[in-house]
């Protein structure tokens, strides 16, 4: 059977030879007793056992994952742990009981490529039989649960780790695995090791998923849980993880895709509280995608998390101006008249609307124009044809070595948006008209060749404004004014 398609039900139906493991001293007699008491029992009976002596069962499960490498057994124990956490998420606190302070509860899940056991694999190449008398290749390759197991093992390991680590009592230094002080002389896995290891695996899944349909949803679900941790936010940003989320922010229709979209947006919301992540968001298409999704979404939880994200970003950098340029004020007005049951969403919509109004008041007309050009969202807004705007702001076009003009010229060369091409040609003609040295500057920036290519464009509006620009460039505004009619 394809291991990627294994189900919990199939795994839990297995009959594991615990007595054989005791005979070979892989488990103790006490472990065998506890397993006989717990295995193949009803959910209510197991719940009672966990209430009575939960940490003892956790110790048994962790020891098995550490000492037994047989794939079927590893899958079975992971299924048992996943089952008890799903039945009652509070059971995750059992892993952090004081009686387990000397037990490295994370290490079996996080054994990595450089783990000492992995060195055994190299012996195969030298054809050494030393140690291979006890372990087969198939057994040893599965000790790397999170990284090298089959999909069932990877998925359960990730899910269990995310739930267990989130349930710990937060310590100031985060150095002890169980969140408790320990007298152990053995070096335990630190919380930093756990969280960094998880982030590495999650990013790897987003880049190249281990399972064609479940890889990315599993990674995003765990990420949305873990991004509450400051170190996870830091590691994720350092791994350039924000850009891996952007393609997942797109309109969704099926239940599965809606959940993926929601958890992706939830991740962005959590990242919006972390300044380095905000900088990554600012230099990407994240904002435009969020606005696109919220414009057409009817799923309340998706709309809520996006609006809360936008509210967080509103006061940072140029986000406010970009939101206005993307038409968010009109979208918010439309959302406000819909019948939402969530009062927090309605309050957030009102706050976002008021925030954007304040932002609009603070923006000068040239600020608005500059944002429109830099974002490439050119439209026939009144500024473009307003003589007062051009007379009052013509000197601003000289800023940053004529940055705005250079962007307009780039739009002429790269954009496929017909309206953007027409507006860009018109604005260049306006600059030539109102700036004393406009013709010389535009010529020096090599705009003439790009505009001339558009004179034969199939779109009438583009052709008209390209001709106007060329006329003003060669003849001056006085002789070209007739073309504006």
């Amino acid at each position: 059977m394809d291991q990627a398609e294994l189900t919990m039900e199939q795994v839990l139906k297995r009959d594991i030879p615990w007595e054989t493991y005791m005979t070979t001293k892989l488990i103790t007699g006490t472990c065998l007793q506890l397993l006989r008491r717990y295995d193949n029992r009803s959910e209510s009976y197991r719940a009672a056992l966990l209430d009575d002596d939960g940490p003892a069962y956790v110790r048994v499960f962790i020891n098995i994952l550490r000492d037994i490498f047989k794939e079927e057994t590893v899958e079975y124990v992971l299924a048992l742990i996943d089952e008890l956490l799903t039945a009652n998420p509070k059971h995750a606190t059992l892993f952090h009981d004081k009686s387990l302070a000397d037990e490295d509860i994370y290490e079996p899940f996080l054994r990595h490529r450089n783990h000492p056991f992995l060195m055994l694999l190299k012996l195969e190449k030298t054809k050494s039989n030393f140690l291979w008398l006890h372990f087969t290749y198939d057994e040893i390759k599965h000790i790397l649960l999170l990284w090298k197991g089959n999909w069932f093992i990877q998925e359960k390991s990730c899910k269990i780790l995310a739930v267990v680590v989130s349930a710990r009592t937060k310590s100031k230094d985060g150095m002890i695995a169980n969140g408790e002080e320990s007298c152990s002389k053995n070096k335990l896995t630190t919380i930093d090791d756990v969280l960094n290891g998880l982030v590495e695996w999650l990013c790897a899944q987003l880049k190249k998923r281990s399972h064609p349909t479940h890889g990315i949803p599993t990674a995003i679900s765990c990420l949305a849980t873990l991004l509450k941790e400051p170190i996870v936010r830091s590691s994720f940003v350092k791994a350039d993880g924000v850009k891996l989320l952007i393609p997942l922010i797109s309109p969704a229709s099926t239940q599965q895709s809606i959940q993926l979209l929601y958890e992706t947006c939830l991740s962005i919301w959590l990242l919006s509280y972390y300044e380095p992540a905000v900088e990554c968001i600012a230099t990407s298409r994240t904002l435009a995608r969020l606005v696109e999704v919220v414009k057409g979404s009817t799923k309340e939880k998706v709309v809520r998390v996006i609006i809360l994200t936008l509210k967080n970003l509103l006061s940072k950098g140029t986000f406010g101006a970009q939101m206005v340029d993307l038409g968010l004020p009109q979208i918010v007005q439309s959302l406000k008249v819909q019948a939402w049951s969530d009062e927090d969403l309605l309050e957030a919509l009102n706050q976002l609307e008021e925030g954007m109004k304040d932002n609009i008041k603070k923006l000068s007309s040239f600020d608005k124009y500059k944002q429109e050009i830099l974002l490439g969202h050119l439209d026939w807004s009144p500024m473009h044809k307003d003589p007062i705007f051009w007379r009052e702001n013509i000197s601003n076009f000289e800023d940053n070595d004529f940055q705005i003009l250079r962007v307009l010229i780039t739009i002429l060369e790269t954009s496929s948006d017909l309206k953007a091409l027409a507006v860009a040609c018109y604005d260049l003609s306006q600059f030539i008209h109102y700036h004393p040295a406009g013709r010389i500057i535009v010529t020096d920036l090599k705009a003439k060749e790009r505009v001339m290519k558009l004179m034969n464009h199939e779109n009438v509006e583009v052709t008209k404004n390209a001709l106007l620009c060329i006329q003003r460039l060669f003849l001056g505004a006085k002789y070209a004014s007739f073309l504006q009619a």
Side-chain angles (χ1 to χ4, degrees), residues 325 365 368-369 372-373 377-386 389-390 419 423 426-427:
D325 289 331
S365 58
K368 297 175 187 174
Y369 175 83
E372 180 182 316
I373 301 302
H377 300 146
L378 278 69
D379 202 352
W380 288 114
S381 53
M383 292 179 291
H384 297 276
K385 296 187 177 182
D386 182 2
F389 167 79
W390 286 96
K419 187 181 291 184
V423 174
Y426 183 81
D427 284 4

Side-chain angles (χ1 to χ4, degrees), residues 336-455:
K336 283 180 66 178
V337 301
Q338 296 183 39
W340 306 110
S341 60
D342 189 334
E343 293 184 3
D344 290 340
L345 171 55
L346 296 172
E347 183 182 353
L349 284 167
N350 288 328
Q351 291 174 346
L352 184 58
E353 183 178 45
E354 290 304 312
M356 284 190 293
K357 285 180 181 177
D358 292 340
N359 201 279
I360 291 171
K361 290 176 184 176
K362 293 175 185 176
L363 284 174
S364 68
S365 58
F366 188 76
D367 288 330
K368 297 175 187 174
Y369 175 83
K370 184 177 179 180
Q371 286 299 320
E372 180 182 316
I373 301 302
L374 294 180
L375 289 169
H377 300 146
L378 278 69
D379 202 352
W380 288 114
S381 53
M383 292 179 291
H384 297 276
K385 296 187 177 182
D386 182 2
I388 296 174
F389 167 79
W390 286 96
R391 280 196 295 268
E392 291 182 351
N393 293 288
I394 195 66
S395 62
N396 291 328
F397 283 81
E398 299 173 7
D399 293 348
N400 298 321
D401 192 24
F402 298 97
Q403 179 192 26
I404 296 300
L405 286 184
R406 294 177 187 277
V407 173
L408 284 171
I409 294 168
T410 300
I411 289 172
L412 293 180
E413 189 173 40
T414 61
S415 179
S416 58
D417 186 319
L418 299 179
K419 187 181 291 184
L421 291 173
V423 174
C425 286
Y426 183 81
D427 284 4
L428 280 175
S429 74
Q430 290 286 71
F431 177 79
I432 295 168
H433 176 61
Y434 286 99
H435 197 285
R439 295 167 67 185
I440 296 171
I441 294 167
V442 170
T443 300
D444 286 347
L445 292 175
K446 306 188 185 310
K448 181 179 70 175
E449 295 81 0
R450 299 180 190 184
V451 177
M452 289 186 71
K453 288 180 181 178
L454 297 174
M455 289 173 60

Side-chain angles (χ1 to χ4, degrees), residues 228-373:
K228 301 180 184 74
E229 304 275 354
I231 187 175
V232 171
R233 297 178 192 177
S234 174
S235 295
F236 189 68
V237 171
K238 287 177 182 176
D240 210 10
V242 175
K243 74 176 185 182
L244 301 175
L245 300 178
I246 298 171
L248 304 178
I249 307 172
S250 59
S253 55
T254 66
Q255 190 61 40
Q256 186 178 10
S257 61
I258 289 172
Q259 184 62 21
L260 176 60
L261 172 62
Y262 167 70
E263 290 177 334
T264 302
C265 293
L266 179 60
S267 298
I268 296 292
W269 174 66
L270 290 166
L271 288 166
S272 71
Y273 288 95
Y274 182 56
E275 201 56 42
V278 171
E279 293 173 9
C280 294
I281 294 171
T283 56
S284 68
R285 292 264 311 151
T286 304
L287 183 64
R289 283 179 172 267
L290 289 172
V291 172
E292 179 188 2
V293 169
V294 81
K295 181 179 180 180
S297 181
T298 57
K299 199 67 176 178
E300 187 162 321
K301 66 179 184 179
V302 173
V303 173
R304 180 180 64 248
V305 74
I306 292 178
I307 292 299
L308 290 174
T309 303
L310 296 175
K311 186 164 75 77
N312 275 0
L313 296 174
L314 180 63
S315 61
K316 302 177 187 293
T318 61
F319 280 110
Q322 291 180 49
M323 289 177 194
V324 173
D325 289 331
L326 290 168
L328 190 59
Q330 295 81 3
I331 295 171
V332 168
Q333 288 178 3
S334 175
L335 290 171
K336 283 180 66 178
V337 301
Q338 296 183 39
W340 306 110
S341 60
D342 189 334
E343 293 184 3
D344 290 340
L345 171 55
L346 296 172
E347 183 182 353
L349 284 167
N350 288 328
Q351 291 174 346
L352 184 58
E353 183 178 45
E354 290 304 312
M356 284 190 293
K357 285 180 181 177
D358 292 340
N359 201 279
I360 291 171
K361 290 176 184 176
K362 293 175 185 176
L363 284 174
S364 68
S365 58
F366 188 76
D367 288 330
K368 297 175 187 174
Y369 175 83
K370 184 177 179 180
Q371 286 299 320
E372 180 182 316
I373 301 302

Side-chain angles (χ1 to χ4, degrees), residues 23-221:
T23 302
T24 55
K25 301 187 183 305
L26 288 172
I27 64 173
T28 65
T30 303
C31 286
L32 180 61
Q33 254 187 332
L34 290 169
L35 286 166
R36 282 174 172 169
R37 197 180 304 166
Y38 189 90
D39 206 12
N40 298 315
R41 301 288 186 169
S42 68
E43 182 179 323
S44 58
Y45 188 83
R46 286 177 172 177
L49 291 176
L50 293 172
D51 289 339
D52 184 49
D53 198 10
Y57 290 96
V58 168
R59 187 185 295 275
V60 169
F61 297 149
I62 294 299
N63 287 342
I64 291 172
L65 293 177
R66 185 186 63 226
D67 298 332
I68 297 176
F69 304 143
K70 190 169 179 60
E71 186 177 35
E72 289 79 5
T73 305
V74 170
E75 291 167 350
Y76 188 81
V77 173
L78 289 173
L80 289 179
I81 297 174
D82 185 42
E83 183 183 55
L84 70 89
L85 293 175
T86 302
N88 185 355
K90 291 182 180 179
H91 284 152
T93 59
L94 296 173
F95 287 77
H96 306 288
D97 190 83
K98 289 183 179 180
S99 65
L100 296 174
D102 292 335
E103 191 75 55
D104 197 335
I105 61 172
Y106 300 120
E107 189 265 347
F109 300 94
L110 287 172
R111 290 169 177 161
H112 208 302
R113 300 174 182 85
N114 298 321
H115 191 278
F117 275 123
L118 193 58
M119 300 303 291
L120 294 175
L121 300 179
K122 297 180 180 179
L123 296 178
E124 187 182 50
K125 295 181 180 179
T126 62
K127 298 183 179 180
S128 169
N129 292 322
F130 183 64
L131 292 177
W132 286 94
L133 296 173
H134 304 286
F135 304 108
T136 67
Y137 173 79
D138 283 337
E139 288 173 329
I140 290 179
K141 73 176 182 180
H142 296 298
I143 65 174
L144 308 172
L145 301 188
L146 187 59
W147 284 92
K148 294 297 185 182
N150 60 46
W151 174 248
F152 185 91
I153 290 175
Q154 289 188 49
E155 189 260 344
K156 295 305 176 191
S157 296
C158 176
K159 180 180 176 182
I160 291 166
L161 274 174
V163 174
V164 170
V165 78
S166 299
R168 77 190 189 282
T169 301
K170 305 297 189 294
S171 59
K172 291 182 180 179
D173 57 14
M175 291 301 293
I176 302 300
N178 296 355
E180 303 286 352
E181 292 299 325
S182 173
C183 299
S184 173
K185 295 181 180 179
N186 296 323
K187 184 179 178 182
L188 301 183
T189 305
T190 68
I191 292 300
D192 285 8
D193 289 336
V194 178
L195 296 176
N196 285 325
L198 275 168
V199 169
E200 188 179 353
W201 184 83
L202 294 172
C203 288
Q205 287 302 308
L206 294 176
K207 290 174 184 175
K208 186 178 181 181
R209 53 198 173 190
S210 298
H211 187 279
T213 56
H214 300 312
I216 288 178
T218 296
I220 291 296
S221 180

